[in-house]
């Protein structure tokens, strides 16, 4: 079996963990837009993990800033690791905003969808990146239309039903 | 819902609505056999007993660092003191560097990586580990007379078979000579080297580097957990005299006190070193300019630095010609400690501003909650090791990025801080320096229970961070930060052995820190908790506690049974989620017809007319046209009090005592509130109750309310005023997973996305200067 070597150009010693054994968890809150044509998603991730995975994709170390270039990188990454599907088709996303902080980064984006569709979510945010470091990434999703404690938990690449139309 | 109740029927039964069930009995069962049986070595109070003992090992070491091939070789004389009541026919040594042998258990038990898309960095790490010929070579192992001692190598441990048993109270001296290559710390390891391609220099952070006597304890005998990488170590306390030979242009930092400063420092450096020992203002002993100049050269000449350290359980050191060196005196209670930092110019300007300051702050805060820092020095060294602790010396990694920037596109040229590097540095130094208290001094067993040092230390780290500045962005300690981990399902108990933990950071650092914070703020209160925690630290200072000693001491010193708490938070995997599911109002039926009929009329009038009633309001009815169809029932007001009503009331009163008559006049509202325990973990119920006159009352119901029914309880509240709102856990102090079911009436949910849309504003780190947020970024 041949495998792909994603190239990192430099910067190993400089990408520094800000905390010992960081808590590798992400949290997403998902609700419907007022007109019911899009999912509005707020995704919280650990900043250094996000910079790590994006740096890996780009082949260079990243110090995240809220600018056009970095938004484009984040948007492309989201299309791969936070995928809402209907009928096997990935639905288009639109990045809406960023909040960069010391202890957490929030990413805001929308996914065009309809409430008549069965929607599945494949949430592999940071899983491969963290697993390669011998750790386990836990991704949780809270659906605003359901009880807050009934969260979806993702620790692998298996999709889960995100939204089920009433008729189904 | 308002219910009028007859006092004689309901008054006694209301508080007893909870019923016994098996889950509650289990959750509130005493820990009993889950803890070791108390003995005269370890008492039932959690204190060391009159028969308490622990071993001791003193070391004399001479080590040479080879800067040309990244190798160390050393010779040591160990004097092992058998303080146990047992004869020992062999002694075990730990050879942690054998973890880096290609055939080590650590390497052999690694599971396969995901090759679907394998990053270069991971590939480099993997290849480094596969190709690195690490491990210890034993050159000599002899007794005090130079006679060879037979030994058996067992992976990361070595057994010395003694010519005759070392009896109780006896000492045994032996010599070991060894050598091993130094690992590249940028790829792996808790110590190692970092190479700087730009100038060809190295920073060495040397740890777990010499053959060390394994722990022999009353609870386990010889320590027999092989080193796999996570469970750090547990060792015996002892005195160290160490001579470190390095290139003559290197600066060395080490556990203990420098014994030959006159020999190894220049006259100028010596003067500054002495000044630092008299000043609470930061002094450069080696300046950035001197370090920059030194890193341009090299030498084949060597120099030997001598250190002495008393009553430590390990010894580590760092060496480089790149080091800047600063220091100042830091108070710890009545004592003064020499706080020092060693770092390259690449770490500037962050390190000179924050490293030594963070050491001093840690010693100050930790000492308040435990005991005075007992050692003379405390050191922070910058290098490739992310964060690691050894007695008196810590290795801390954060630096500014190479171009000196982080968040903003335009750095403020007058500023010299970069927030994430800054907080990352401060937090890791607090954490690693804090480890001097746990486990370097309170000498718990890291191979068995990671949480005992990492969890307690992370808890104190949180207190120290919050004492650094208001709203310090602590990553651990706040209860709400643990919700996602605790509800994830991928959880093992805190009491799990160090090598089997899933989610190491959450399990061993975050959850115990949160648990202790909740215990302090919401269960015992600060005064009781701080007393008990200090008692534990003091009891076990320079001794070796087990979890049972901690659990027992906290109960013994606080006077509070906490078995349910340890059981739920440390032995269990439930989470906190309590919901308010019902509220009912009961008021007393006075039997007085004038009062009751008026009350009934008021209640009936509150009901809004139905749609039909509203729409029929102007419709002409038959009885309006034909009054002959009306009778008594059409003419009589049901709310009018009749003589019969009075007679019944009189009759009822005659049957009552004076005390019962007074109770009938009680003007109180009786509320029953039902709480459902959805998460399973029993918890106190902090409540905020709002009344119709605007008064607000806060109260906390102890967790014991769940002792008969751990799934659902109903609590009675009696008040003169009507309750308009009840909120559970208003200050997010219990790690409750779902705050939306915590209030009556329910509060509307607002999505994070909506809040973001409503508050479009620039990155908070750019708001200080107008040009930053006026500039068009996108």
């Amino acid at each position: 079996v041949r495998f792909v070597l994603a190239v990192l150009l430099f910067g190993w010693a400089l990408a520094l963990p800000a905390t010992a054994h960081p808590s590798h968890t992400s949290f997403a809150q998902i609700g419907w837009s007022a007109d019911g044509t899009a999912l509005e998603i707020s995704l919280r991730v650990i900043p250094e993990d996000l910079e790590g995975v994006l740096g890996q994709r780009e082949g260079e170390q990243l110090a995240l800033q809220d600018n056009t270039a970095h938004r484009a990188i984040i948007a492309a990454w989201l299309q791969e690791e936070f995928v809402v599907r209907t009928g096997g088709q990935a639905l288009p996303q639109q990045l809406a905003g960023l909040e960069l902080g010391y202890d957490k980064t929030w990413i805001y984006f929308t996914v065009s969808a309809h409430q008549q569709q069965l929607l599945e979510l494949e949430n592999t945010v940071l899983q491969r990146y963290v697993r390669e470091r011998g750790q386990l990434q836990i991704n949780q999703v809270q659906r605003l239309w359901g009880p807050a404690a009934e969260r979806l938990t993702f620790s692998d690449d298996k999709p889960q039903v995100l939204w089920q139309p009433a008729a189904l | 819902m308002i219910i009028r109740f007859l006092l004689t029927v309901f008054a006694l039964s209301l508080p007893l609505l909870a019923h016994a069930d098996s889950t509650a009995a289990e959750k509130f069962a005493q820990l009993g056999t889950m803890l070791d049986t108390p003995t005269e070595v370890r008492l039932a109070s959690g204190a060391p007993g009159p028969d308490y003992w622990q071993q001791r090992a003193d070391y004399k070491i001479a080590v040479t660092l080879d800067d040309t091939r990244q190798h160390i070789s050393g010779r040591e004389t160990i004097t092992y003191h058998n303080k146990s009541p047992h004869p020992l026919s062999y002694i075990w040594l730990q050879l942690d560097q054998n973890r880096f042998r290609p055939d080590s258990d650590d390497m052999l038990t690694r599971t396969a990586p995901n090759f679907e898309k394998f990053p270069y960095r991971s590939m480099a790490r993997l290849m480094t580990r596969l190709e690195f010929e690490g491990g210890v070579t034993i050159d000599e192992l002899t007794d005090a007379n130079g006679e060879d001692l037979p030994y058996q190598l067992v992976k990361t441990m070595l057994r010395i078979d003694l010519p005759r048993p070392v009896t109780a109270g006896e000492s045994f001296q032996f010599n070991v000579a060894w050598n091993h290559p130094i690992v590249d710390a940028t790829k792996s390891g808790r110590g190692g080297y970092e190479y700087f391609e730009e100038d060809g220099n190295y920073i060495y952070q040397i740890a777990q580097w010499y053959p060390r006597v394994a722990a022999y304890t009353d609870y386990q005998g010889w320590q027999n957990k092989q080193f796999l990488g996570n469970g750090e170590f547990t060792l015996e306390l002892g005195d160290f005299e160490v001579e470190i030979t390095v290139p003559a242009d290197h600066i060395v930092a080490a556990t203990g006190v420098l014994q030959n400063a006159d020999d190894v420092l220049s006259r100028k450096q010596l003067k500054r070193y002495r000044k630092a020992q008299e000043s609470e203002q930061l002094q450069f002993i080696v300046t950035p300019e001197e370090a920059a100049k030194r890193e341009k050269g090299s030498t084949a000449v060597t120099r030997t630095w001598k250190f002495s350290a008393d009553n430590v359980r390990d010894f580590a050191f760092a060496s480089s010609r790149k080091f800047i060196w600063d220091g100042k005196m830091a108070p710890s209670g009545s004592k003064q400690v020499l706080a020092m930092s060693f770092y390259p110019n690449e770490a500037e300007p962050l390190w000179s501003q924050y490293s030594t300051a963070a050491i001093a702050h840690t010693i100050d805060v930790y000492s308040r909650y435990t005991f005075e820092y007992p050692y003379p020095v405390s050191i922070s060294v910058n290098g490739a090791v992310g964060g690691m602790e050894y007695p008196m010396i810590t290795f801390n990694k954060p630096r500014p990025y190479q171009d000196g920037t982080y968040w903003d596109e335009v750095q403020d040229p007058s500023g010299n801080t970069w927030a994430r590097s800054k907080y990352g540095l401060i937090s890791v130094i607090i954490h690693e320096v804090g480890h001097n208290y746990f486990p370097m001094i309170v000498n718990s067993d890291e191979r068995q229970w990671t949480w005992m040092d990492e969890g307690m230390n992370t808890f104190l780290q949180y207190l120290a961070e919050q004492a650094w500045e208001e709203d310090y962005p602590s990553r651990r300690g706040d209860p709400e930060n643990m919700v996602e981990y605790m509800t994830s399902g991928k959880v093992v108990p805190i009491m799990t052995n160090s090598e089997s933990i899933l989610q190491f950071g959450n399990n061993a650092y975050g959850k115990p820190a949160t648990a202790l914070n909740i215990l302090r703020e919401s269960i015992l209160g600060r005064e009781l908790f701080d007393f008990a925690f200090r008692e534990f630290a003091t009891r076990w200072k320079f001794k070796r506690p087990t979890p049972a000693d901690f659990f027992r001491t906290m109960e013994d010193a606080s006077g509070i049974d906490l078995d349910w708490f340890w059981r739920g938070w440390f032995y269990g995997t439930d989470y906190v989620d309590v919901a308010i599911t019902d509220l009912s109002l009961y008021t007393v039926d006075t039997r007085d017809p004038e009062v009751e009929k008026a009350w009934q009329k008021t209640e009936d009038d509150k009901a809004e007319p139905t749609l039909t009633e509203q729409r029929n309001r102007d419709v002409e009815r038959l009885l309006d046209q034909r009054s002959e169809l009306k009778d008594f029932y059409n003419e009589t007001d049901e709310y009018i009090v009749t003589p019969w009503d009075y007679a019944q009331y009189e009759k009822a009163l005659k049957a009552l005592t004076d005390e019962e008559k007074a109770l009938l006049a009680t003007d109180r509202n009786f509320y029953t509130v039902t709480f459902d325990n959805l998460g399973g973990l029993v918890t106190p119920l902090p409540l905020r109750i709002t009344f119709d006159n605007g008064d607000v009352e806060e109260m906390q119901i102890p967790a014991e309310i769940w002792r008969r029914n751990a799934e659902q309880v109903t609590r009675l509240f009696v008040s003169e005023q009507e309750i308009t709102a009840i909120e559970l856990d208003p200050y997010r102090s219990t790690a409750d997973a779902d705050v939306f079911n915590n209030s009556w009436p329910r509060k509307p949910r607002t999505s994070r996305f909506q809040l973001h849309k409503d508050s479009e504003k620039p990155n908070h780190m750019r708001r200080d200067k107008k040009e930053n947020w006026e500039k068009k970024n996108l």
Side-chain angles (χ1 to χ4, degrees), chain B residues 37 58 83 92 166 179 183 199 249 264 276 349 353 412 427 484 524 555 566 724 739 749 769:
Chain B
T37 305
D58 297 327
K83 305 277 188 182
W92 282 99
V166 185
N179 73 84
V183 69
D199 53 43
D249 54 355
V264 295
Q353 187 173 6
D412 179 351
S427 286
E484 278 131 43
L524 294 182
E555 296 183 347
W566 312 129
T724 55
V739 295
R749 292 186 192 187
K769 290 204 183 303

PDB file of all heavy atoms in Angstrom, chain B residues 37 58 83 92 166 179 183 199 249 264 276 349 353 412 427 484 524 555 566 724 739 749 769:
ATOM      1  N   THR B  37      -6.922  -1.023  53.530  1.00  0.00           N
ATOM      2  CA  THR B  37      -7.211  -1.106  54.964  1.00  0.00           C
ATOM      3  C   THR B  37      -6.224  -0.240  55.743  1.00  0.00           C
ATOM      4  O   THR B  37      -5.019  -0.309  55.509  1.00  0.00           O
ATOM      5  CB  THR B  37      -7.072  -2.562  55.436  1.00  0.00           C
ATOM      6  OG1 THR B  37      -7.931  -3.363  54.621  1.00  0.00           O
ATOM      7  CG2 THR B  37      -7.450  -2.707  56.901  1.00  0.00           C
ATOM      8  N   ASP B  58      21.049   8.309  48.510  1.00  0.00           N
ATOM      9  CA  ASP B  58      21.922   9.471  48.295  1.00  0.00           C
ATOM     10  C   ASP B  58      22.840   9.186  47.106  1.00  0.00           C
ATOM     11  O   ASP B  58      23.307   8.051  46.930  1.00  0.00           O
ATOM     12  CB  ASP B  58      22.763   9.738  49.542  1.00  0.00           C
ATOM     13  CG  ASP B  58      21.884  10.086  50.749  1.00  0.00           C
ATOM     14  OD1 ASP B  58      20.825  10.710  50.536  1.00  0.00           O
ATOM     15  OD2 ASP B  58      22.251   9.724  51.885  1.00  0.00           O
ATOM     16  N   LYS B  83      15.163   1.826  55.085  1.00  0.00           N
ATOM     17  CA  LYS B  83      14.404   2.287  56.262  1.00  0.00           C
ATOM     18  C   LYS B  83      13.185   1.410  56.508  1.00  0.00           C
ATOM     19  O   LYS B  83      12.429   1.644  57.450  1.00  0.00           O
ATOM     20  CB  LYS B  83      13.934   3.724  56.046  1.00  0.00           C
ATOM     21  CG  LYS B  83      15.038   4.714  55.706  1.00  0.00           C
ATOM     22  CD  LYS B  83      15.716   5.208  56.961  1.00  0.00           C
ATOM     23  CE  LYS B  83      16.666   6.342  56.625  1.00  0.00           C
ATOM     24  NZ  LYS B  83      17.380   6.824  57.810  1.00  0.00           N
ATOM     25  N   TRP B  92      16.248  -2.659  42.825  1.00  0.00           N
ATOM     26  CA  TRP B  92      15.875  -2.349  41.445  1.00  0.00           C
ATOM     27  C   TRP B  92      16.294  -0.928  41.086  1.00  0.00           C
ATOM     28  O   TRP B  92      16.097   0.002  41.876  1.00  0.00           O
ATOM     29  CB  TRP B  92      14.369  -2.480  41.242  1.00  0.00           C
ATOM     30  CG  TRP B  92      13.881  -3.895  41.101  1.00  0.00           C
ATOM     31  CD1 TRP B  92      13.329  -4.664  42.067  1.00  0.00           C
ATOM     32  CD2 TRP B  92      13.904  -4.689  39.912  1.00  0.00           C
ATOM     33  NE1 TRP B  92      12.993  -5.908  41.578  1.00  0.00           N
ATOM     34  CE2 TRP B  92      13.338  -5.936  40.235  1.00  0.00           C
ATOM     35  CE3 TRP B  92      14.336  -4.470  38.605  1.00  0.00           C
ATOM     36  CZ2 TRP B  92      13.198  -6.964  39.307  1.00  0.00           C
ATOM     37  CZ3 TRP B  92      14.201  -5.486  37.672  1.00  0.00           C
ATOM     38  CH2 TRP B  92      13.638  -6.725  38.028  1.00  0.00           C
ATOM     39  N   VAL B 166      20.212  -6.648  52.458  1.00  0.00           N
ATOM     40  CA  VAL B 166      20.355  -5.406  53.235  1.00  0.00           C
ATOM     41  C   VAL B 166      19.253  -5.440  54.279  1.00  0.00           C
ATOM     42  O   VAL B 166      18.061  -5.426  53.939  1.00  0.00           O
ATOM     43  CB  VAL B 166      20.191  -4.152  52.343  1.00  0.00           C
ATOM     44  CG1 VAL B 166      20.465  -2.897  53.154  1.00  0.00           C
ATOM     45  CG2 VAL B 166      21.092  -4.225  51.149  1.00  0.00           C
ATOM     46  N   ASN B 179      26.635   5.044  30.020  1.00  0.00           N
ATOM     47  CA  ASN B 179      26.579   6.093  29.008  1.00  0.00           C
ATOM     48  C   ASN B 179      25.364   5.871  28.129  1.00  0.00           C
ATOM     49  O   ASN B 179      24.830   4.759  28.057  1.00  0.00           O
ATOM     50  CB  ASN B 179      27.870   6.111  28.181  1.00  0.00           C
ATOM     51  CG  ASN B 179      27.948   4.935  27.231  1.00  0.00           C
ATOM     52  OD1 ASN B 179      27.401   4.968  26.135  1.00  0.00           O
ATOM     53  ND2 ASN B 179      28.618   3.847  27.678  1.00  0.00           N
ATOM     54  N   VAL B 183      18.590  11.979  23.198  1.00  0.00           N
ATOM     55  CA  VAL B 183      17.529  11.975  22.181  1.00  0.00           C
ATOM     56  C   VAL B 183      17.265  13.403  21.690  1.00  0.00           C
ATOM     57  O   VAL B 183      17.505  14.376  22.416  1.00  0.00           O
ATOM     58  CB  VAL B 183      16.241  11.341  22.772  1.00  0.00           C
ATOM     59  CG1 VAL B 183      15.624  12.236  23.831  1.00  0.00           C
ATOM     60  CG2 VAL B 183      15.236  10.999  21.680  1.00  0.00           C
ATOM     61  N   ASP B 199      22.992  28.747  13.993  1.00  0.00           N
ATOM     62  CA  ASP B 199      24.300  29.009  14.596  1.00  0.00           C
ATOM     63  C   ASP B 199      25.042  27.729  14.970  1.00  0.00           C
ATOM     64  O   ASP B 199      26.147  27.786  15.518  1.00  0.00           O
ATOM     65  CB  ASP B 199      24.162  29.926  15.817  1.00  0.00           C
ATOM     66  CG  ASP B 199      23.157  29.403  16.822  1.00  0.00           C
ATOM     67  OD1 ASP B 199      23.156  28.190  17.089  1.00  0.00           O
ATOM     68  OD2 ASP B 199      22.365  30.202  17.348  1.00  0.00           O
ATOM     69  N   ASP B 249      32.446  27.072  27.445  1.00  0.00           N
ATOM     70  CA  ASP B 249      31.629  28.264  27.173  1.00  0.00           C
ATOM     71  C   ASP B 249      30.135  28.010  27.410  1.00  0.00           C
ATOM     72  O   ASP B 249      29.305  28.837  27.074  1.00  0.00           O
ATOM     73  CB  ASP B 249      31.876  28.752  25.739  1.00  0.00           C
ATOM     74  CG  ASP B 249      31.657  27.655  24.704  1.00  0.00           C
ATOM     75  OD1 ASP B 249      31.399  26.493  25.110  1.00  0.00           O
ATOM     76  OD2 ASP B 249      31.742  27.955  23.505  1.00  0.00           O
ATOM     77  N   VAL B 264      33.443  28.819  37.772  1.00  0.00           N
ATOM     78  CA  VAL B 264      32.811  28.690  36.455  1.00  0.00           C
ATOM     79  C   VAL B 264      32.259  30.007  35.905  1.00  0.00           C
ATOM     80  O   VAL B 264      31.912  30.069  34.720  1.00  0.00           O
ATOM     81  CB  VAL B 264      31.677  27.634  36.493  1.00  0.00           C
ATOM     82  CG1 VAL B 264      32.237  26.253  36.781  1.00  0.00           C
ATOM     83  CG2 VAL B 264      30.597  28.010  37.509  1.00  0.00           C
ATOM     84  N   ALA B 276      21.893  39.170  42.379  1.00  0.00           N
ATOM     85  CA  ALA B 276      20.568  38.558  42.214  1.00  0.00           C
ATOM     86  C   ALA B 276      20.097  37.900  43.511  1.00  0.00           C
ATOM     87  O   ALA B 276      18.902  37.857  43.807  1.00  0.00           O
ATOM     88  CB  ALA B 276      20.599  37.531  41.086  1.00  0.00           C
ATOM     89  N   PRO B 349      11.547  38.842  23.410  1.00  0.00           N
ATOM     90  CA  PRO B 349      11.653  39.459  24.738  1.00  0.00           C
ATOM     91  C   PRO B 349      10.707  38.869  25.773  1.00  0.00           C
ATOM     92  O   PRO B 349      10.617  39.350  26.896  1.00  0.00           O
ATOM     93  CB  PRO B 349      11.261  40.904  24.460  1.00  0.00           C
ATOM     94  CG  PRO B 349      10.275  40.788  23.352  1.00  0.00           C
ATOM     95  CD  PRO B 349      10.707  39.636  22.496  1.00  0.00           C
ATOM     96  N   GLN B 353      10.734  39.036  30.487  1.00  0.00           N
ATOM     97  CA  GLN B 353       9.616  39.736  31.124  1.00  0.00           C
ATOM     98  C   GLN B 353       8.793  38.811  32.029  1.00  0.00           C
ATOM     99  O   GLN B 353       8.314  39.238  33.073  1.00  0.00           O
ATOM    100  CB  GLN B 353       8.709  40.356  30.055  1.00  0.00           C
ATOM    101  CG  GLN B 353       7.624  41.245  30.655  1.00  0.00           C
ATOM    102  CD  GLN B 353       6.827  41.993  29.592  1.00  0.00           C
ATOM    103  OE1 GLN B 353       7.002  41.777  28.392  1.00  0.00           O
ATOM    104  NE2 GLN B 353       5.955  42.877  30.034  1.00  0.00           N
ATOM    105  N   ASP B 412       2.100  46.011  17.595  1.00  0.00           N
ATOM    106  CA  ASP B 412       2.418  47.285  18.219  1.00  0.00           C
ATOM    107  C   ASP B 412       3.918  47.292  18.520  1.00  0.00           C
ATOM    108  O   ASP B 412       4.391  46.498  19.322  1.00  0.00           O
ATOM    109  CB  ASP B 412       1.597  47.401  19.510  1.00  0.00           C
ATOM    110  CG  ASP B 412       1.889  48.682  20.244  1.00  0.00           C
ATOM    111  OD1 ASP B 412       2.832  49.378  19.833  1.00  0.00           O
ATOM    112  OD2 ASP B 412       1.176  48.972  21.203  1.00  0.00           O
ATOM    113  N   SER B 427       1.413  30.071  31.931  1.00  0.00           N
ATOM    114  CA  SER B 427       0.682  28.903  32.447  1.00  0.00           C
ATOM    115  C   SER B 427       1.583  27.684  32.579  1.00  0.00           C
ATOM    116  O   SER B 427       1.503  26.947  33.567  1.00  0.00           O
ATOM    117  CB  SER B 427      -0.499  28.572  31.529  1.00  0.00           C
ATOM    118  OG  SER B 427      -1.522  29.520  31.700  1.00  0.00           O
ATOM    119  N   GLU B 484     -17.933  19.016  27.952  1.00  0.00           N
ATOM    120  CA  GLU B 484     -17.855  18.195  26.738  1.00  0.00           C
ATOM    121  C   GLU B 484     -17.137  16.877  26.984  1.00  0.00           C
ATOM    122  O   GLU B 484     -17.553  15.834  26.505  1.00  0.00           O
ATOM    123  CB  GLU B 484     -17.160  18.971  25.630  1.00  0.00           C
ATOM    124  CG  GLU B 484     -18.101  19.903  24.941  1.00  0.00           C
ATOM    125  CD  GLU B 484     -17.542  21.289  24.819  1.00  0.00           C
ATOM    126  OE1 GLU B 484     -16.369  21.421  24.481  1.00  0.00           O
ATOM    127  OE2 GLU B 484     -18.287  22.249  25.094  1.00  0.00           O
ATOM    128  N   LEU B 524     -17.451  22.169  50.190  1.00  0.00           N
ATOM    129  CA  LEU B 524     -16.873  22.436  51.515  1.00  0.00           C
ATOM    130  C   LEU B 524     -16.820  23.921  51.826  1.00  0.00           C
ATOM    131  O   LEU B 524     -16.882  24.311  53.003  1.00  0.00           O
ATOM    132  CB  LEU B 524     -15.452  21.859  51.589  1.00  0.00           C
ATOM    133  CG  LEU B 524     -15.325  20.332  51.530  1.00  0.00           C
ATOM    134  CD1 LEU B 524     -13.862  19.925  51.652  1.00  0.00           C
ATOM    135  CD2 LEU B 524     -16.141  19.665  52.627  1.00  0.00           C
ATOM    136  N   GLU B 555     -11.630  14.305  54.398  1.00  0.00           N
ATOM    137  CA  GLU B 555     -12.816  14.083  55.240  1.00  0.00           C
ATOM    138  C   GLU B 555     -12.484  14.309  56.700  1.00  0.00           C
ATOM    139  O   GLU B 555     -13.240  14.944  57.446  1.00  0.00           O
ATOM    140  CB  GLU B 555     -13.344  12.659  55.026  1.00  0.00           C
ATOM    141  CG  GLU B 555     -13.831  12.405  53.603  1.00  0.00           C
ATOM    142  CD  GLU B 555     -14.430  11.014  53.421  1.00  0.00           C
ATOM    143  OE1 GLU B 555     -14.264  10.152  54.304  1.00  0.00           O
ATOM    144  OE2 GLU B 555     -15.074  10.786  52.377  1.00  0.00           O
ATOM    145  N   TRP B 566     -16.036  11.366  46.113  1.00  0.00           N
ATOM    146  CA  TRP B 566     -14.929  10.594  45.516  1.00  0.00           C
ATOM    147  C   TRP B 566     -15.488   9.518  44.597  1.00  0.00           C
ATOM    148  O   TRP B 566     -14.965   9.282  43.510  1.00  0.00           O
ATOM    149  CB  TRP B 566     -14.058   9.937  46.596  1.00  0.00           C
ATOM    150  CG  TRP B 566     -13.632  10.823  47.719  1.00  0.00           C
ATOM    151  CD1 TRP B 566     -13.763  10.569  49.064  1.00  0.00           C
ATOM    152  CD2 TRP B 566     -12.977  12.110  47.632  1.00  0.00           C
ATOM    153  NE1 TRP B 566     -13.244  11.611  49.805  1.00  0.00           N
ATOM    154  CE2 TRP B 566     -12.757  12.569  48.954  1.00  0.00           C
ATOM    155  CE3 TRP B 566     -12.569  12.917  46.569  1.00  0.00           C
ATOM    156  CZ2 TRP B 566     -12.147  13.795  49.235  1.00  0.00           C
ATOM    157  CZ3 TRP B 566     -11.967  14.131  46.852  1.00  0.00           C
ATOM    158  CH2 TRP B 566     -11.756  14.555  48.160  1.00  0.00           C
ATOM    159  N   THR B 724     -41.507  33.872  41.516  1.00  0.00           N
ATOM    160  CA  THR B 724     -41.714  34.149  40.088  1.00  0.00           C
ATOM    161  C   THR B 724     -40.688  33.435  39.207  1.00  0.00           C
ATOM    162  O   THR B 724     -40.909  33.270  38.014  1.00  0.00           O
ATOM    163  CB  THR B 724     -41.623  35.664  39.801  1.00  0.00           C
ATOM    164  OG1 THR B 724     -40.358  36.140  40.287  1.00  0.00           O
ATOM    165  CG2 THR B 724     -42.748  36.405  40.511  1.00  0.00           C
ATOM    166  N   VAL B 739     -27.637  23.769  30.546  1.00  0.00           N
ATOM    167  CA  VAL B 739     -28.123  24.872  31.379  1.00  0.00           C
ATOM    168  C   VAL B 739     -29.512  25.328  30.940  1.00  0.00           C
ATOM    169  O   VAL B 739     -30.161  26.094  31.644  1.00  0.00           O
ATOM    170  CB  VAL B 739     -27.150  26.068  31.342  1.00  0.00           C
ATOM    171  CG1 VAL B 739     -25.822  25.694  31.953  1.00  0.00           C
ATOM    172  CG2 VAL B 739     -26.953  26.582  29.917  1.00  0.00           C
ATOM    173  N   ARG B 749     -33.563  30.037  24.357  1.00  0.00           N
ATOM    174  CA  ARG B 749     -32.190  29.740  23.940  1.00  0.00           C
ATOM    175  C   ARG B 749     -31.740  30.762  22.898  1.00  0.00           C
ATOM    176  O   ARG B 749     -32.490  31.099  21.999  1.00  0.00           O
ATOM    177  CB  ARG B 749     -32.123  28.364  23.282  1.00  0.00           C
ATOM    178  CG  ARG B 749     -32.357  27.235  24.198  1.00  0.00           C
ATOM    179  CD  ARG B 749     -32.124  25.948  23.434  1.00  0.00           C
ATOM    180  NE  ARG B 749     -32.609  24.821  24.216  1.00  0.00           N
ATOM    181  CZ  ARG B 749     -32.419  23.567  23.862  1.00  0.00           C
ATOM    182  NH1 ARG B 749     -31.782  23.289  22.755  1.00  0.00           N
ATOM    183  NH2 ARG B 749     -32.877  22.585  24.613  1.00  0.00           N
ATOM    184  N   LYS B 769      -6.453  49.887  19.364  1.00  0.00           N
ATOM    185  CA  LYS B 769      -6.000  50.986  18.507  1.00  0.00           C
ATOM    186  C   LYS B 769      -6.936  51.114  17.308  1.00  0.00           C
ATOM    187  O   LYS B 769      -7.217  50.139  16.609  1.00  0.00           O
ATOM    188  CB  LYS B 769      -4.564  50.723  18.039  1.00  0.00           C
ATOM    189  CG  LYS B 769      -3.554  50.841  19.168  1.00  0.00           C
ATOM    190  CD  LYS B 769      -2.187  51.156  18.623  1.00  0.00           C
ATOM    191  CE  LYS B 769      -1.146  51.202  19.721  1.00  0.00           C
ATOM    192  NZ  LYS B 769      -1.464  52.162  20.766  1.00  0.00           N
TER     193      LYS B 769
END
